[in-house]
Amino acid sequence: MAQPRTLFDKIWDSHVIAPAGEGTYLLYIDLHLCHEVTTPQAFEGLKLAGRKVRRPDATIAVADHNIPTSNRKAGIDEPESKLQVDTLERNVVEFGVPYIPIDSINQGIVHIIGPEMGLSQPGMTIVCGDSHTATHGALGALAFGIGTSEVEHVLATQTLIQAHAKNMLVEVNGSLGAGVSPKDVILAIIGKIGTAGGTGHVIEYGGSTFRSMSMEGRMTVCNMAIESGARAGLVAPDEITFEYVKGRAYAPKGGAWEQALAYWKTLPSDPGAHFDKKTSLDAGQIAPHITWGTNPEQTAPITARVPDPADIDDPLKRAAVERALQYMQLKPKTPLVEIPVQRVFIGSCTNSRIEDLRAAAAIARGRKVAEGVRAMVVPGSGLVKHQAEEEGLDRVFLEAGFEWREPGCSNCMSMNPDRAMKGERIASTSNRNFEGRQGPGAKTHLMGPAMAAAAAVTGRLADVRQLG
Amino acid sequence: MEKFTQLTGVAAPMPAINIDTDKIFPAIHLRTIKRTGLAKHLFEEIRFRADGSENPDFILNQGPYRQAKIIVAGDNFGCGSSREHAPWALTDFGISCVIAPSFADIFYNNCFKNGLLPIALPQAEVDKLMDDAKKGGNAVLTIDLDKQTISRPDGEIVPFAIDPFRKHCMLNGLDDIGLTEQKAAEIATYETKTRGERPWVFGLTEKAGA
């Protein structure tokens, strides 16, 4: 009998064209997502070498990082942002790459629109010049972020030279408690394995918790695989996946659907497949989580206190915690629920899908944003925005005093006008709490959408379970 | 890409763990369409004060470290984003080698495309080189990629491991795309075969831009 293989092994094996050198392989790429930030230098490289895009029909571009999320019709004010978007728009014409214009209802964050349009499918290899590409792994695809030189390589050849990553299994079993979201699951995982726990590995998220999790939830989890250092994160495709993909604009139809479905069902890891590394968590033990520090492993249950560096033996880790607390202006042993916030951001490729907005709206409904807090909700795409408005969620947010914005990357990182003011403390549903990421001196606490809404209405970090 | 063979220079000690890509190159400066001239934003938030003046506490603002060609760093250097602006800014500053116990995967890959040599060594070896680095201008390190060695100021030789394919490309300054184009026939054969097996993944985005 053939050697049992993991989901990752199966996708890898079916995409290897040839060995490229000792330990490295030439890998075929099925779908290449492009945005304005990491492509200009790649297109320039093609131009200088007189090369073309090999497969425009496997490539799609959208502008998301630089796009203002209000008053879209006024265009882009900030000259550097405008130049980057204009450059993308010129390059897609010159190279014949399909492009989703800013005024299209399909425009949105690249990692939201790929699955939503049915472009991201099980068993594919998907790349993008963006570390959060692992999001698409939720569909059972091998999806990973690449640098600009690799973007150029894919544009020119539709391939990449890659070393085979190792297999890692993160298993979570059991039911999540009330008020506990997929974001809490991934924050708990990163807190356990650390920011480098997945380095050199592709993580498969397995176990009953993921089997019963929605596609939106799986995308939140896979999105942050990179925050534990993993090359990619993925979840085996199952009925929930197929139901999600079916009928989407670019999903296979008719006979092609049946053919694709039969193939997708062969993808899940075989019983007894080898994982180089394994860890597990009990879903019932996971409380709503937030980050207190300046990297995503500096995470704690909301019921905890700010850690005390004096309790840490490892001198390098202690120094890192001391530095984080100094930047975050937090005193050791302060209860997390006593930390006030000035800003709330609900959005980003981690948590801006319809389910996220529903969860936040459920907390916002009938409440008011606390005085002195600026709270914004930024849907991940035009389609998410439209759906939310159909459900009346925009009214809920606006009545509670949240801002209801146009789709884009927004305040996740400071490349567009949605920047935190110097030193502001933010409850954010995004994926990185690095120093300065949301604006110079900005102090980020990562959390799920309902927790962020709870922070908005209480004016401090709050345990959503106490708001009911 | 320029060839990397040997390098002799001052090494700057940056012992912090998890030096992330936002720290190396802040997101706000990603709004460029160039890959050159980025050194001015390298480590910007810690290298400069709010008024734009240099922060004298930051290592690369001190004496011989202004000319550093090597950084000796803590665990998980380059974690975070895929931005190649991080290696672009490092090389533009004059850094051609980073030594650390471990690197984030995407950053590690990006280095090789830009003549920046990332060397991963056990913590105990990094600790020794960190001590050398702290001695400043009188303690240069010499890296020999062909021999895969680092020569310490006291004459000790520290060997390091590197993937042979990447080493070959770096030593000869080879362009990956050019190498892959030599496999055009194999790529075409793969495409023909896959079109038969998984036809639904072809032509996927053709109508998507409409």
Side-chain angles (χ1 to χ4, degrees):
Chain A
M1 213 183 102
Q3 183 86 8
R5 293 183 298 164
T6 64
L7 166 61
F8 164 52
D9 292 336
K10 291 180 192 183
I11 303 174
W12 175 271
D13 291 350
S14 63
H15 288 82
V16 169
I17 300 164
E22 205 172 314
T24 55
Y25 299 86
L26 192 61
L27 195 71
Y28 200 78
I29 302 303
D30 291 326
L31 178 65
H32 186 188
L33 308 162
C34 296
H35 63 65
E36 78 278 20
V37 183
T38 52
T39 56
Q41 297 88 348
F43 281 114
E44 185 191 34
L46 291 184
K47 240 175 274 186
L48 290 173
R51 290 178 171 127
K52 292 181 180 155
V53 174
R54 183 181 174 92
R55 284 208 41 214
D57 69 312
T59 313
I60 191 160
V62 69
D64 54 8
H65 286 62
N66 283 277
I67 303 298
T69 62
S70 62
N71 198 11
R72 242 342 128 66
K73 289 200 176 66
I76 303 175
D77 256 359
E78 301 190 352
E80 297 101 328
S81 290
K82 184 169 182 337
L83 177 62
Q84 215 163 43
V85 174
D86 288 350
T87 303
L88 179 67
E89 293 189 340
R90 264 201 311 277
N91 282 328
V92 294
V93 172
E94 189 175 339
F95 288 91
V97 168
Y99 176 64
I100 301 171
I102 294 164
D103 58 2
S104 164
I105 188 161
N106 287 321
Q107 187 271 340
I109 306 172
V110 66
H111 306 310
I112 303 291
I113 67 174
E116 178 177 83
M117 294 171 74
L119 292 167
S120 314
Q121 300 167 13
M124 291 174 88
T125 46
I126 302 174
V127 296
C128 175
D130 193 293
S131 60
H132 293 111
T133 308
T135 312
H136 310 262
L139 290 119
L142 175 61
F144 53 93
I146 55 178
T148 296
S149 295
E150 291 181 314
V151 168
E152 187 180 337
H153 195 280
V154 177
L155 288 171
T157 69
Q158 205 57 33
T159 70
L160 271 179
I161 300 170
Q162 291 285 301
H164 192 301
K166 292 179 181 162
N167 281 284
M168 177 168 178
L169 178 65
V170 173
E171 214 172 1
V172 185
N173 284 302
S175 303
L176 296 173
V180 181
S181 75
K183 183 66 162 281
D184 302 312
V185 175
I186 188 63
L187 288 176
I189 291 170
I190 299 166
K192 177 169 183 183
I193 68 177
T195 53
T199 301
H201 293 74
V202 167
I203 297 179
E204 179 170 343
Y205 300 100
S208 66
T209 310
F210 298 113
R211 291 275 67 85
S212 58
M213 195 179 275
S214 69
M215 285 310 295
E216 285 87 350
R218 294 177 189 183
M219 286 185 229
T220 298
V221 170
C222 290
N223 173 273
M224 291 188 72
I226 183 69
E227 311 312 336
S228 62
R231 199 78 187 89
L234 31 72
V235 174
D238 59 10
E239 290 304 321
I240 292 175
T241 319
F242 308 144
E243 194 52 42
Y244 176 90
V245 176
K246 196 172 187 177
R248 295 201 175 255
Y250 299 94
K253 309 271 185 318
W257 170 261
E258 294 305 325
Q259 198 185 353
L261 190 62
Y263 174 68
W264 295 343
K265 287 182 174 172
T266 68
L267 292 170
S269 295
D270 298 324
H274 174 74
F275 287 92
D276 303 277
K277 212 167 165 180
K278 283 187 193 181
T279 191
S280 63
L281 278 81
D282 174 0
Q285 300 296 314
I286 300 174
H289 271 59
I290 61 140
T291 60
W292 49 262
T294 54
N295 74 49
E297 79 175 48
Q298 293 178 328
T299 292
I302 184 66
T303 49
R305 290 166 183 262
V306 174
D308 189 344
D311 298 338
I312 301 166
D313 292 333
D314 180 333
L316 287 172
K317 288 217 162 127
R318 192 188 319 125
V321 170
E322 277 167 356
R323 166 70 200 169
L325 295 188
Q326 183 200 353
Y327 179 85
M328 295 295 288
Q329 294 177 19
L330 291 174
K331 288 202 182 75
K333 299 190 192 296
T334 309
L336 295 174
V337 292
E338 288 178 8
I339 299 171
V341 299
Q342 293 83 48
R343 199 178 176 96
V344 173
F345 170 56
I346 297 172
S348 87
C349 57
T350 316
N351 280 120
S352 64
R353 297 173 192 84
I354 188 67
E355 206 172 77
D356 301 318
L357 303 190
R358 287 178 190 143
I363 297 301
R365 193 182 302 275
R367 295 190 170 96
K368 292 282 179 204
V369 170
E371 212 180 308
V373 173
R374 181 175 178 189
M376 54 171 71
V377 183
V378 186
S381 71
L383 288 173
V384 170
K385 181 168 188 261
H386 177 75
Q387 171 78 25
E389 289 174 353
E390 291 279 295
E391 296 180 17
L393 304 183
D394 57 326
R395 298 305 320 159
V396 173
F397 287 122
L398 288 166
E399 279 162 20
F402 289 81
E403 296 170 34
W404 178 247
R405 315 277 293 195
E406 300 289 334
C409 297
S410 186
N411 199 177
C412 176
M413 35 82 243
S414 47
M415 292 186 65
N416 57 70
D418 300 347
R419 248 165 254 140
M421 309 290 277
K422 181 92 190 164
E424 268 186 326
R425 189 179 296 282
I426 319 169
S428 177
T429 66
S430 54
N431 39 54
R432 283 196 182 126
N433 50 345
F434 294 157
E435 291 181 23
R437 177 159 171 106
Q438 294 191 291
K443 301 191 279 281
T444 304
H445 294 278
L446 301 176
M447 63 196 73
M451 286 282 285
V457 299
T458 58
R460 57 178 172 79
L461 302 183
D463 189 338
V464 67
R465 295 171 299 186
Q466 293 181 351
L467 274 76
Chain B
M1 191 176 81
E2 277 186 41
K3 292 178 184 180
F4 185 113
T5 49
Q6 276 196 345
L7 174 73
T8 298
V10 170
M14 298 186 71
I17 56 174
N18 298 322
I19 294 179
D20 61 69
T21 50
D22 275 272
K23 198 167 278 175
I24 300 169
F25 193 86
I28 193 161
H29 300 301
L30 296 176
R31 300 184 303 175
T32 172
I33 58 169
K34 303 266 175 245
R35 63 174 91 200
T36 49
L38 304 185
K40 58 180 184 281
H41 302 306
L42 180 71
F43 295 115
E44 188 177 73
E45 282 218 20
I46 39 179
R47 189 166 140 213
F48 301 107
R49 293 191 282 214
D51 64 2
S53 64
E54 283 186 357
N55 170 11
D57 297 336
F58 183 62
I59 192 78
L60 297 180
N61 290 333
Q62 297 169 6
Y65 298 119
R66 290 175 182 278
Q67 276 77 47
K69 292 182 181 170
I70 301 163
I71 288 175
V72 184
D75 221 2
N76 201 27
F77 189 88
C79 61
S81 132
S82 65
R83 66 190 66 161
E84 203 158 319
H85 309 67
W88 292 337
L90 285 164
T91 53
D92 191 39
F93 183 88
I95 303 293
S96 296
C97 175
V98 182
I99 302 169
S102 71
F103 293 88
D105 287 338
I106 309 179
F107 177 83
Y108 187 77
N109 276 340
N110 284 341
C111 286
F112 287 102
K113 317 286 182 191
N114 294 284
L116 175 62
L117 179 65
I119 300 178
L121 289 174
Q123 184 74 51
E125 302 286 308
V126 174
D127 289 345
K128 286 197 279 187
L129 298 169
M130 190 73 75
D131 288 342
D132 292 337
K134 285 176 181 163
K135 291 176 190 149
N138 297 324
V140 296
L141 300 178
T142 295
I143 319 267
D144 186 318
L145 176 57
D146 186 37
K147 293 188 182 139
Q148 296 182 219
T149 57
I150 303 167
S151 308
R152 298 183 57 206
D154 68 0
E156 194 201 349
I157 303 289
V158 179
F160 63 87
I162 183 170
D163 166 71
F165 176 71
R166 283 177 161 140
K167 174 181 170 180
H168 172 73
C169 291
M170 216 159 174
L171 278 174
N172 297 290
L174 295 179
D175 160 26
D176 275 1
I177 299 179
L179 286 176
T180 299
E181 281 174 340
Q182 293 171 10
K183 297 203 167 82
E186 284 160 284
I187 298 172
T189 305
Y190 176 90
E191 280 175 342
T192 307
K193 177 176 75 91
T194 311
R195 244 178 234 276
E197 291 168 0
R198 289 183 283 125
W200 61 90
V201 300
F202 285 79
L204 206 51
T205 67
E206 242 157 23
K207 285 165 278 168

